[in-house]
Amino acid sequence: MCSSDLVEVDRDGHGLKARPPRSKWDRPWDAKAFGTEPSRVAEVTALSAASTLAEQIRRIGGGRPCLVVAHSMGGAVATAAAEAAPELFAGLVYVCAYAPVSGRPAAAYETSPENAGEMTHELLGADPSKIGGARIDTGDAGRHDLIRETFYNDLDVDTATAAISLLSTDGPAGIPATAFEVTKARYGAIRHAYVMCARDNMVRPALQRRLIKEIDAVSARPTVVTELDSSHS
């Protein structure tokens, strides 16, 4: 096992690797430009981000296997990394995360019947297929109630507002659009766990249960499941 220290890493296109559209900062505000400017993280895919993640794990663990925890769309990245470099994974824990192990891209799950009631698409300020990113206008205070209900519905308003200020404007559309295959011999040999979030309005509980079943179908041992009465984030 690698060090017991908790090390947080930024997924490509997020955190300190975020590249917000320049129109986000325009004054006066130009809604048309914000809705049409190509995303600066459009080149990021699940496979390119998985390569980055594998290198991060290798560096943090000094080549020894680490327990990897993946949240939300980070699950697609971690799944691809686990297939590519299973020797780096002591285990993989999904937290209300996408786990596209069936050969379908994560985007196919977003619009599945099991995800009915998800609110993410109501937040989008542009067409991801046209700009290459899932863009949210976090600067519009009038949309904060919707953002809070989507991601932070178990938090008080002040805490949720602080969290909203940390959100990346663009999420790379290439991550959910990427399809890849996993195998029982590589991905399936890793221990998996899944933390379900019962109040999740991005990855709905029914979809989380479907993902767990699909993980089990390609795994050597059952997924360990824990359920929390919490929102997506």
Side-chain angles (χ1 to χ4, degrees):
M1 293 286 288
C2 64
S3 168
S4 60
D5 292 340
L6 173 64
V7 180
E8 296 183 52
V9 297
D10 289 325
R11 188 166 80 243
D12 284 359
H14 288 273
L16 294 179
K17 298 179 180 179
R19 297 294 181 269
R22 293 176 176 85
S23 55
K24 175 181 179 176
W25 312 111
D26 283 348
R27 296 297 181 271
W29 171 253
D30 187 338
K32 182 177 180 180
F34 185 79
T36 57
E37 181 185 345
S39 176
R40 297 168 66 200
V41 296
E43 77 284 355
V44 178
T45 69
L47 296 180
S48 68
S51 178
T52 299
L53 176 61
E55 180 54 36
Q56 290 169 322
I57 299 169
R58 188 175 287 110
R59 184 171 64 251
I60 292 165
R64 293 169 293 176
C66 293
L67 178 65
V68 178
V69 181
H71 173 251
S72 193
M73 197 55 72
V77 175
T79 299
E83 173 67 19
E87 72 279 1
L88 296 177
F89 286 73
L92 174 53
V93 180
Y94 294 97
V95 181
C96 54
Y98 285 95
V101 300
S102 67
R104 293 182 288 269
Y109 292 90
E110 290 181 298
T111 56
S112 67
E114 292 88 349
N115 211 29
E118 66 83 25
M119 302 175 69
T120 314
H121 284 81
E122 295 182 48
L123 298 174
L124 297 179
D127 184 342
S129 67
K130 293 182 178 179
I131 68 165
R135 181 166 296 168
I136 299 176
D137 180 10
T138 58
D140 181 359
R143 298 181 65 78
H144 280 195
D145 285 347
L146 179 58
I147 297 173
R148 182 162 71 97
E149 185 61 26
T150 304
F151 298 124
Y152 312 109
N153 57 61
D154 52 350
L155 297 181
D156 63 86
V157 173
D158 287 343
T159 305
T161 300
I164 289 169
S165 71
L166 301 175
L167 288 174
S168 300
T169 305
D170 282 8
I175 290 180
T178 306
F180 53 87
E181 301 288 339
V182 303
T183 60
K184 292 184 177 181
R186 297 177 68 81
Y187 171 87
I190 298 169
R191 294 180 182 272
H192 305 102
Y194 200 105
V195 179
M196 291 186 60
C197 293
R199 298 169 63 176
D200 194 330
N201 285 326
M202 179 177 178
V203 186
R204 300 292 291 150
L207 177 55
Q208 295 176 55
R209 286 189 285 269
R210 173 184 170 181
L211 293 166
I212 292 166
K213 289 181 180 179
E214 293 187 357
I215 295 169
D216 284 346
V218 294
S219 298
R221 52 183 73 84
T223 303
V224 177
V225 179
T226 302
E227 185 166 342
L228 302 178
D229 182 28
S230 72
S231 63
H232 181 72
S233 294

